[in-house]
């Protein structure tokens, strides 16, 4: 708790172009929860270097992501929006938690398996211990709730296990966090291969809608989305392409999947795809305009970066000092 509010932590990697999946699965929920909780939203740039990055590009993307958080509607005076690499406590706590996490647990992580298959020439130790850094991110702020898409559930479970293990040995040090998964949009699928999740790293640009895609590009991608030959708009797993488009439309308009099915009863896929495209544009265009506006105001964003790093450091250090003491590190001499 901070004051009378529960704590929320979440983050996104500044890698690749953010997709509609990141927005609907995570960012959108961050905004709806931000009044209720004391929130920490991190640009997790330390996670990004588990895969080789171009330094100038990473810096640029990290700034763009931080700006996007604000553009999406998170007030940086109320929500702590900051770069993970500006708070050294993340790395320090991660080291300690490494000593409370088993190799066997990390070996089971599907994201590790996927990423090591994709980057077979660079299966580094950071990629392996990635979930421990993620646990440190969350536990450092004593977060009660962590809004994420379904793909992060396994990491969340591990975070809970590590927190409980630590608490079991040392008493109640960490809040054990709960995942928050949105009702719609928690797993947006590829527009080209609806059995796969929509991903920043997909090589086919038509598979993903990027948050910065121009309206005509968004429309084109929606029109080209893979459906089926059933010729009926129903929300069921036998029609994964159509189901995904219903999810997208539903998350963008606030209508339930049932309402969407009724709305499009008897209509063709062509009409539906145009409506999905329009709904996505109506959500992304204002976001893009706001990013544009904020990009003109360098001093404002710089101020936010500085202020919020200090705030994050303050809370991070509180937890870190407590943990260091529990595990037996010598006290500092003042
Ligand atoms: P990342 O950067 O891959 O994704 C950011 C958020 O977007 C969600 N997401 C999706 N949701 C629905 N459909 C999709 N197709 C889709 N693709 C991505 C993710 O679930 C995530 O919520 N390891 C994390 C970042 C992280 C983090 C943390 C998150 C680091 N530390 C602490 C929460 C708490 C990641 O790589 O997310």
């Amino acid at each position: 708790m901070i004051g009378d509010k529960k704590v929320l932590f979440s983050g996104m990697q500044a890698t690749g172009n953010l997709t509609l999946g990141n927005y609907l699965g995570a960012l959108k929920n961050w905004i709806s929860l931000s009044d209720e909780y004391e929130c920490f939203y991190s640009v997790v740039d330390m996670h990004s270097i588990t895969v080789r990055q171009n330094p100038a590009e990473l810096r640029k993307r990290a700034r763009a992501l931080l700006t996007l958080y604000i553009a999406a509607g998170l007030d940086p005076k109320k929500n702590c929006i900051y770069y993970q690499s500006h708070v050294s406590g993340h790395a320090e706590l991660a080291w300690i938690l490494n000593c409370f996490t088993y190799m066997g647990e990390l070996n089971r992580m599907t994201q590790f398996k996927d990423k090591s298959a994709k980057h077979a020439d660079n299966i580094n130790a950071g990629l392996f211990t990635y979930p421990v850094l993620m646990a440190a991110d969350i536990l450092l702020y004593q977060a009660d709730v962590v809004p994420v898409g379904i793909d992060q559930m396994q990491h969340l479970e591990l975070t809970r296990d590590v927190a409980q293990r630590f608490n079991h040995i040392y008493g109640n040090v960490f809040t054990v966090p709960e995942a928050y998964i949105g009702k719609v949009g928690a797993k947006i699928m590829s527009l080209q291969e609806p059995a796969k999740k929509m991903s920043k790293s997909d090589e086919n640009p038509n598979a993903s809608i990027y948050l910065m895609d121009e309206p005509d590009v968004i429309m084109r991608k929606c029109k080209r989305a893979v459906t089926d030959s059933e010729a009926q708009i129903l929300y069921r797993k036998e029609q994964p392409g159509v189901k995904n488009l219903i999810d997208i439309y539903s998350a963008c308009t606030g209508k339930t999947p049932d309402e969407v099915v009724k709305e499009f009863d008897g209509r063709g896929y062509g009409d539906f795809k145009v409506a999905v495209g329009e709904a996505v544009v109506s959500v992304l265009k204002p976001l893009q305009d706001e990013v544009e506006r904020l990009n003109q105001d360098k001093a404002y964003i710089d101020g936010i970066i500085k202020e919020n790093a200090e705030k994050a450091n303050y809370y991070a250090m509180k937890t870190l000092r407590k943990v260091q003491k529990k595990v037996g590190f010598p006290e500092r001499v003042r």
Side-chain angles (χ1 to χ4, degrees), residues 24 48 134 178 298:
L24 298 179
S48 296
M134 181 159 161
E178 302 276 347
K298 183 171 181 306

Side-chain angles (χ1 to χ4, degrees), residues 208-225:
S208 309
I209 295 175
Y210 299 115
L211 297 188
M212 291 300 140
D213 275 347
E214 301 274 339
D216 57 329
V217 174
I218 296 174
M219 286 306 285
R220 197 180 64 227
K221 288 181 177 177
C222 287
K223 286 182 188 162
R224 283 191 190 164

Side-chain angles (χ1 to χ4, degrees), residues 9-16 18 27 30 40-49 57-70 74 80-87 90 130 133 137 141 200 301 304-305 308-309 312:
F9 182 94
S10 202
M12 284 197 199
Q13 291 203 60
T15 324
L18 249 59
L27 199 49
W30 296 7
F40 294 84
Y41 294 116
S42 188
V43 171
V44 293
D45 47 358
M46 288 163 65
H47 278 92
S48 296
I49 63 162
E57 189 66 16
L58 177 59
R59 222 183 321 275
K60 206 171 101 198
R61 286 189 192 281
R63 175 119 182 166
L65 183 54
L66 187 128
T67 307
L68 184 82
Y69 287 2
I70 302 169
L74 296 170
C80 188
I81 293 174
Y82 72 99
Y83 295 127
Q84 184 187 30
S85 62
H86 286 190
V87 180
H90 288 256
Y130 177 114
L133 180 58
D137 299 341
Y141 299 93
K200 298 183 262 220
I301 300 287
I304 298 297
I305 291 172
N308 281 337

Side-chain angles (χ1 to χ4, degrees), residues 9-13 21-22 25-26 44 47 111 130 134 137-138 146-149 151-152 155 185-188 197-198 200:
F9 182 94
S10 202
M12 284 197 199
Q13 291 203 60
N22 297 123
V44 293
H47 278 92
Q111 189 167 304
Y130 177 114
M134 181 159 161
D137 299 341
I138 297 166
V146 184
V148 282
D151 63 330
Q152 295 300 316
H155 291 160
K187 195 165 188 192
I188 299 297
K197 78 163 183 176
M198 185 180 284
K200 298 183 262 220

Side-chain angles (χ1 to χ4, degrees), residues 156-188:
L156 244 291
E157 286 303 327
L158 180 75
T159 302
R160 290 170 53 86
D161 289 346
V162 172
Q164 275 159 347
R165 185 172 305 144
F166 196 94
N167 285 351
H168 188 68
I169 306 172
Y170 298 106
N172 261 344
V173 178
F174 293 123
T175 303
V176 179
E178 302 276 347
Y180 176 97
I181 306 279
K183 283 196 188 70
V184 276
K187 195 165 188 192
I188 299 297

